[in-house]
Amino acid sequence: LQIYHRHVFVKNNGLQHFSSYVLSSAEHNSSVSLTPSKSLLTSTEISRLARAFVSWGVRKVRLTGGEPLLRADLLDIVAGLNELRSQGLQSIGITTNGILLQRQARALRQAGLDALNVSCDTLVPGKFELVTRRRGWDRVWSGVRHALDSGFPIVKINCVAMRGFNDDELVDFVRLTLDHAYDVRFIEYMPFDGNRWSTRKMLPYAEMLDRIRVEFPNIERLPDEPNHVSKAWKVPGARGRVGFISSMTQHFCAVCNRVRVTADGNFKVCLHGGSEVSLRDAIRSGATDDELKQIVSDSLQRKKAQHAGMETLSKLKNRPMILIGG
């Protein structure tokens, strides 16, 4: 689960060795161990947590990675979440690497999914293979096009910008928004366990925008939506838009209302925080919904006003991003 205090992301793990494309480096650390199946939340536990969070005021749920499309019961989970709309749930989303999207997009849309994020850091197939260590770039983009054809009004494309890897593709990504209903979101490179983070690779929001303005000097700032973490821009006349997630250089901690429940059931109040508490263990020990609510409330009370700076974060212990969910 991932939750914004008003939104929930349910984190599903299919197979964690299946490369997620919100990768922080072309030098992806492939040593991430698989979580034993018995340690993962079951569909029943996911359903219970989602139902509880919706009853506490959550209005948005997103299923994230690992890679959620590998989960055999994903359609049932989405259909179950769709039933919570009568209780106040407003949006059901997913973040995927897109490899299996063409096969499942239509069924997911019919089951109630209404928001789609696809993680892809490059428009160059050769770079894609370098990062992911497998082919599949064409399948990702076939899946994106199929999703639009299946009724998704817009597809968000998540791109981690990295100096020396894909910083020469920024303008090409923006061009995608001219004729397609894409919301391309450039994400500042962030430190996590195993991604060999360095300040040299980090491309700041301001620099990204300056580079894009060389080609699109008339790109316009759009109003921020409440609690959204992406700074939205649009080329006049374009069908889609561009966003920047500036976690490192212009943090948005004051308006961020997102929290997460990992695939193994740990509750995280901050993406960059190492502090976690197990809701899975509480459920399996017989906790009531009121007791779960108290655990969540206590965790939120301990949340810091903002996360640490880049250099400090790079030295702190935290999960690899693939084990947290984007």
Side-chain angles (χ1 to χ4, degrees):
L1 265 144
Q2 258 189 342
I3 310 159
Y4 317 69
H5 307 178
R6 293 260 182 239
H7 313 299
V8 181
F9 296 131
V10 183
K11 170 158 189 322
N12 288 320
N13 247 9
L15 296 175
Q16 292 164 348
H17 68 274
F18 196 97
S19 297
S20 172
Y21 303 135
V22 186
L23 293 175
S24 304
S25 172
E27 301 166 314
H28 171 50
N29 183 345
S30 61
S31 62
V32 177
S33 300
L34 296 178
T35 304
S37 297
K38 65 181 179 181
S39 298
L40 301 177
L41 290 172
T42 66
S43 58
T44 299
E45 290 166 340
I46 290 172
S47 177
R48 178 181 172 187
L49 285 173
R51 190 175 301 277
F53 278 111
V54 170
S55 74
W56 303 333
V58 163
R59 295 294 174 258
K60 182 176 182 180
V61 174
R62 181 179 300 154
L63 307 165
T64 71
E67 177 44 52
L69 294 187
L70 287 170
R71 186 151 179 157
D73 55 359
L74 180 61
L75 279 176
D76 292 335
I77 291 172
V78 172
L81 292 173
N82 198 45
E83 294 176 359
L84 299 179
R85 292 187 187 275
S86 62
Q87 299 177 33
L89 184 63
Q90 297 173 356
S91 178
I92 305 167
I94 198 168
T95 299
T96 173
N97 61 36
I99 289 286
L100 301 176
L101 186 57
Q102 183 169 359
R103 186 186 308 171
Q104 301 187 43
R106 192 172 302 278
L108 286 168
R109 186 74 177 101
Q110 292 172 347
L113 195 73
D114 55 41
L116 179 63
N117 290 44
V118 177
S119 303
C120 188
D121 294 339
T122 179
L123 299 175
V124 180
K127 288 184 183 179
F128 180 93
E129 292 182 27
L130 174 66
V131 172
T132 65
R133 302 184 181 182
R134 57 181 43 82
R135 296 175 183 173
W137 182 90
D138 54 339
R139 293 174 62 189
V140 172
W141 288 97
S142 291
V144 169
R145 291 189 293 270
H146 186 69
L148 291 175
D149 292 341
S150 298
F152 287 94
I154 193 166
V155 177
K156 293 181 179 180
I157 308 296
N158 292 347
C159 172
V160 178
M162 293 167 277
R163 192 184 306 278
F165 174 66
N166 60 1
D167 55 331
D168 59 339
E169 299 182 54
L170 301 179
V171 168
D172 292 332
F173 270 102
V174 175
R175 285 196 185 102
L176 292 177
T177 70
L178 300 181
D179 299 318
H180 303 283
Y182 298 150
D183 183 351
V184 172
R185 308 197 306 171
F186 296 112
I187 303 170
E188 288 183 340
Y189 183 42
M190 298 176 281
F192 290 98
D193 282 9
N195 73 355
R196 304 181 187 180
W197 186 87
S198 77
T199 53
R200 294 190 304 274
K201 298 176 185 175
M202 209 281 292
L203 194 64
Y205 158 51
E207 183 177 344
M208 286 190 270
L209 187 57
D210 285 344
R211 293 194 187 194
I212 290 168
R213 277 177 163 156
V214 172
E215 182 71 18
F216 298 104
N218 60 342
I219 191 169
E220 299 174 342
R221 184 74 160 91
L222 299 178
D224 289 325
E225 299 178 43
N227 301 113
H228 275 224
V229 301
S230 178
K231 297 172 176 62
W233 293 74
K234 185 182 180 73
V235 177
R239 290 188 61 190
R241 64 182 192 174
V242 180
F244 299 86
I245 299 178
S246 56
S247 304
M248 296 295 97
T249 62
Q250 295 185 30
H251 71 76
F252 36 80
C253 300
V255 299
C256 178
N257 62 352
R258 304 184 176 206
V259 296
R260 292 165 168 81
V261 179
T262 62
D264 54 359
N266 279 10
F267 182 64
K268 287 178 69 74
V269 297
C270 177
L271 174 65
H272 298 289
S275 178
E276 301 178 359
V277 60
S278 179
L279 298 181
R280 179 204 63 199
D281 289 352
I283 289 174
R284 294 180 184 180
S285 297
T288 65
D289 283 1
D290 285 342
E291 290 170 333
L292 291 175
K293 185 177 182 180
Q294 189 62 53
I295 293 171
V296 169
S297 178
D298 290 345
S299 296
L300 289 170
Q301 290 297 322
R302 293 191 294 269
K303 183 179 179 180
K304 297 179 180 179
Q306 67 183 64
H307 63 67
M310 290 182 283
E311 291 299 332
T312 301
L313 286 175
S314 68
K315 297 178 176 65
L316 297 178
K317 184 70 175 175
N318 196 3
R319 295 180 182 228
M321 188 62 182
I322 195 172
L323 299 184
I324 299 175

